[in-house]
Amino acid sequence: MAATELISSEEYASLPIQAADHRIPYGDDPSQFGDLFLPQSDGPHPVLFLLHGGCWRAKYGLAPMGQLARALANRGVAVWSLEYRRLGHDVSGGEGGWPNTFLDVAHGADLLRDLADEHALDLSRVVVAGHSAGGHLALWSAARRRLPADSPIYTPDPLTFHSVVALAPVCDLERAVAWDICVDAADVLVGGHPREVWANYYQGSPSALLPLDVRHVTINGALDDIVPLDYVRPFVNTARKLGDDAKLIPVPDVGHFEIVVANHPAGQLVIDAILEEFA
């Protein structure tokens, strides 16, 4: 029997670009902007706050996620796809990392309040989703209200979400180091090894901020060797034990990227799962 042929990172990166309806800056850095995809119908629209992956590294941007965002907009959901400051090309650190990457995501989420009236966004129906490193940031976004006020990544009055859809998320930064997920990017993201900057791991890792006290659905390819299912499963189990409404959906016969390709059956499964969160 032939092995299942999986979508490679190169194939994912070369997906056709889908232009957004609006590109909106939220800061002076070239990476501080969001792409807003809007349905053709009248609002108010439910909103998906979408965060791309790529090991938090600067060479991976939001462009390939445009096809997923447009597919969701065609199904009646406004999508706010955020770019954010990321790690340098050689993972030596750049404008991203601690605390800037986290602050950008927080700022991008809260900016939805300023965009709501002009673009007919329904802020009572906001779901956050992210893939891989973006899955980490999506889960963290839902948990950031639990941060202490003296944290360098604390921001007051965070936007609340109806739920989270985490797609192959890097959900536990300390275990990501142990599992060698994204090589050393988790260390660089928070400024050092867990023994050196434990407080940063505690404040920046979704696993340390459990329970999220918001519903979260995790979807993972069973053949994912970048963020393996066995890495993700303990996070979901722990969340359940702590009282979260947490669900894990393993997708057979797919790897890391199929779940974010809109015209792939796994991508269709993800689209349906996101739409269910607005039902």
Side-chain angles (χ1 to χ4, degrees):
M1 181 179 295
T4 302
E5 187 172 343
L6 304 179
I7 295 174
S8 69
S9 59
E10 293 79 13
E11 289 169 326
Y12 173 70
S14 65
L15 288 172
I17 293 175
Q18 294 282 333
D21 296 286
H22 303 277
R23 175 160 287 189
I24 302 168
Y26 63 88
D28 295 330
D29 190 273
S31 292
Q32 291 178 309
F33 68 88
D35 280 351
L36 183 62
F37 295 79
L38 293 172
Q40 293 185 353
S41 58
D42 294 334
H45 309 295
V47 183
L48 182 73
F49 179 42
L50 183 62
L51 295 155
H52 73 84
C55 292
W56 310 278
R57 291 181 173 132
K59 64 180 179 179
Y60 302 112
L62 56 65
M65 290 290 266
Q67 43 81 39
L68 185 65
R70 178 56 67 196
L72 283 158
N74 290 342
R75 300 285 296 274
V77 175
V79 180
W80 175 232
S81 179
L82 196 77
E83 193 56 277
Y84 48 90
R85 286 175 288 179
R86 305 175 306 289
L87 305 177
H89 282 237
D90 58 356
V91 202
S92 61
E95 288 300 316
W98 187 269
N100 290 344
T101 296
F102 295 88
L103 293 175
D104 282 0
V105 171
H107 189 175
D110 295 340
L111 188 65
L112 282 168
R113 293 183 175 121
D114 298 331
L115 303 178
D117 287 345
E118 180 180 356
H119 300 290
L121 307 179
D122 182 356
L123 297 191
S124 70
R125 295 185 293 163
V126 183
V127 171
V128 58
H131 176 237
S132 196
H136 156 257
L137 295 169
L139 290 163
W140 176 84
S141 296
R144 65 188 175 100
R145 68 190 181 282
R146 296 174 60 84
L147 291 170
D150 61 353
S151 167
I153 57 174
Y154 169 85
T155 52
D157 190 26
L159 184 75
T160 59
F161 300 108
H162 172 71
S163 58
V164 186
V165 179
L167 309 171
V170 187
C171 47
D172 184 326
L173 293 183
E174 186 178 14
R175 289 182 67 240
V177 173
W179 282 61
D180 202 29
I181 291 174
C182 288
V183 194
D184 61 349
D187 288 40
V188 178
L189 177 71
V190 295
H193 191 274
R195 290 190 299 270
E196 302 164 342
V197 288
W198 168 244
N200 295 7
Y201 281 84
Y202 177 77
Q203 295 166 22
S205 181
S207 62
L209 296 171
L210 288 171
L212 303 188
D213 295 326
V214 64
R215 172 178 164 82
H216 47 108
V217 178
T218 297
I219 303 175
N220 223 94
L223 302 182
D224 192 333
D225 61 358
I226 296 176
V227 181
L229 188 59
D230 285 344
Y231 160 82
V232 170
R233 188 176 283 110
F235 170 81
V236 178
N237 290 341
T238 299
R240 286 175 181 153
K241 290 176 183 177
L242 293 174
D244 274 351
D245 179 0
K247 183 179 181 181
L248 175 61
I249 303 175
V251 186
D253 302 323
V254 302
H256 192 63
F257 296 102
E258 288 82 1
I259 59 175
V260 285
V261 176
N263 63 5
H264 191 282
Q268 289 294 319
L269 181 153
V270 165
I271 289 171
D272 289 343
I274 290 171
L275 293 174
E276 284 180 16
E277 294 305 306
F278 295 109

